[in-house]
């Protein structure tokens, strides 16, 4: 139970609040968020600052939760699935080492045979690849060897949240620029802010993609090590 709350606080609660804070600061930079009324309220009611602080954290957490749902659609279903569904394929596998690829193909054939899953030939469909990767993930968790992969999963979560955050801020900045053009306001500063959001979106989007590749390789590498250890233990016994 303690381990569950520890993982939740690191990978979920803090990340979600941080994403919400960044989003609100981004709206503030665009002039879409006004703090004058809030400052006046605090000046008249200084005893409410802690209550207001908790409320703001709650709002940031809710915003981060919203981002988490969007990022699951934007990144997990599209990019992560495209990687895990081809891990055993000869041409599109994230395993760029041919020897490692052949090892995991051999492990997969043996696994399918033991599970009674019909398989023939060398063509691994997305269903077979997804099943094999899920099995590897559950296996290393059961062996309590998933700590490094969990840390990388946490980084993936941070990158996906930040990429989603800056994608929405970019959309908001384009709306703000259009509003400024209609009302003949200066847009130089707004264009700079929008460009910054675009750059950060590209940076964190790329970081998410690269970290996903490392995460998948980490899971498969740890699984391979666990299988080797199990085989040596069986030979000794």
């Amino acid at each position: 139970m303690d381990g569950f709350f520890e993982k939740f606080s690191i990978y979920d609660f803090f990340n979600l609040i941080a994403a919400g804070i960044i989003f609100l600061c981004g709206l503030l930079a665009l002039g879409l968020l006004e703090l004058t009324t809030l400052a006046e309220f605090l000046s008249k009611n200084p005893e409410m600052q802690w209550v207001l602080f908790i409320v703001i954290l709650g709002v940031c957490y809710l915003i981060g939760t919203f981002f988490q749902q969007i990022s699951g659609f934007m990144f997990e279903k599209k990019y992560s699935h495209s990687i895990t569904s081809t891990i055993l394929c000869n041409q599109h596998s994230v395993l760029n080492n041919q020897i490692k690829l052949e090892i995991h193909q051999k492990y997969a054939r043996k696994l399918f045979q033991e599970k009674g899953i019909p398989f023939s030939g060398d063509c691994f469909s997305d269903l077979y690849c997804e099943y094999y990767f899920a099995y590897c993930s559950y296996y290393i968790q059961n062996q309590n060897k998933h700590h490094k992969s969990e840390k990388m999963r946490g980084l993936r979560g941070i990158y996906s949240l930040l990429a989603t955050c800056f994608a929405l801020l970019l959309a908001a900045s384009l709306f703000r620029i259009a509003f400024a053009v209609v009302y003949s306001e200066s847009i130089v500063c707004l264009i700079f802010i929008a460009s910054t959001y675009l750059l950060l979106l590209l940076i964190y989007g790329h970081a998410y993609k690269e970290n996903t590749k490392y995460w998948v390789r980490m899971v498969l590498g740890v699984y391979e090590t666990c299988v080797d250890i199990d085989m040596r233990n069986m030979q000794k016994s």
Side-chain angles (χ1 to χ4, degrees):
M1 184 64 70
D2 293 338
F4 169 79
F5 284 112
E6 182 181 356
K7 267 194 290 188
F8 177 81
S9 62
I10 295 176
Y11 296 137
D12 294 297
F13 187 74
F14 175 77
N15 294 346
L16 296 178
I17 288 181
I21 292 174
I22 292 173
F23 182 73
L24 292 181
C25 292
L27 293 180
L28 184 63
L30 290 171
L32 296 176
L33 193 63
E34 181 60 54
L35 297 181
T36 304
T37 304
L38 186 61
E40 292 177 354
F41 175 80
L42 284 178
S43 63
K44 296 179 181 179
N45 303 277
E47 71 280 358
M48 297 293 293
Q49 59 181 353
W50 285 108
V51 176
L52 187 60
F53 177 74
I54 294 174
V55 171
I56 292 176
L57 286 183
V59 171
C60 291
Y61 178 80
L62 292 177
I63 293 174
T65 304
F66 176 68
F67 288 167
Q68 190 177 51
Q69 299 302 316
I70 296 179
S71 65
F73 174 77
M74 291 176 60
F75 296 100
E76 293 291 338
K77 291 185 178 180
K78 292 186 177 181
Y79 187 75
S80 295
H81 175 73
S82 67
I83 291 182
T84 56
S85 63
T86 58
I87 56 174
L88 298 173
C89 298
N90 290 320
Q91 296 181 347
H92 305 289
S93 176
V94 71
L95 293 172
N96 46 19
N97 186 300
Q98 185 64 28
I99 296 177
K100 282 188 171 293
L101 177 60
E102 293 176 356
I103 289 174
H104 283 283
Q105 288 176 340
K106 181 182 69 174
Y107 286 164
R109 293 188 187 96
K110 182 179 179 181
L111 175 65
F112 298 152
Q113 183 179 5
E114 292 175 351
K115 296 290 185 180
I117 300 175
F119 177 80
S120 60
D122 296 324
C123 183
F124 293 90
S125 67
D126 57 342
L127 292 178
Y128 288 104
C129 292
E130 289 282 353
Y131 178 85
Y132 178 72
F133 183 74
Y135 181 86
C136 292
S137 300
Y138 297 144
Y139 187 88
I140 65 175
Q141 289 183 33
N142 185 59
Q143 297 293 319
N144 200 28
K145 301 294 184 180
H146 62 291
H147 303 295
K148 289 185 177 179
S149 63
E150 277 296 311
K151 291 180 180 179
M152 299 192 75
R153 184 191 69 83
L155 285 176
R156 288 175 64 245
I158 294 174
Y159 292 145
S160 64
L161 283 175
L162 291 177
T164 303
C165 176
F166 287 114
L168 294 179
L169 284 174
L170 177 61
S173 63
L174 294 178
F175 168 79
R176 182 67 179 87
I177 291 173
F179 182 85
V181 170
V182 171
Y183 288 91
S184 301
E185 299 178 7
S186 176
I187 62 172
V188 176
C189 183
L190 293 175
I191 292 177
F192 174 77
I193 295 175
S195 301
T196 302
Y197 293 157
L198 175 61
L199 178 61
L200 291 172
L201 168 61
L202 295 176
I203 290 174
Y204 287 113
H206 178 74
Y208 172 83
K209 292 180 180 180
E210 291 302 312
N211 192 264
T212 299
K213 294 178 183 178
Y214 296 147
W215 170 65
V216 172
R217 291 170 186 155
M218 174 69 71
V219 171
L220 296 178
V222 174
Y223 174 75
E224 180 184 349
T225 302
C226 290
V227 171
D228 290 342
I229 294 175
D230 291 342
M231 291 180 61
R232 285 197 294 267
N233 291 336
M234 290 178 60
Q235 292 175 354
K236 291 180 181 179
S237 60

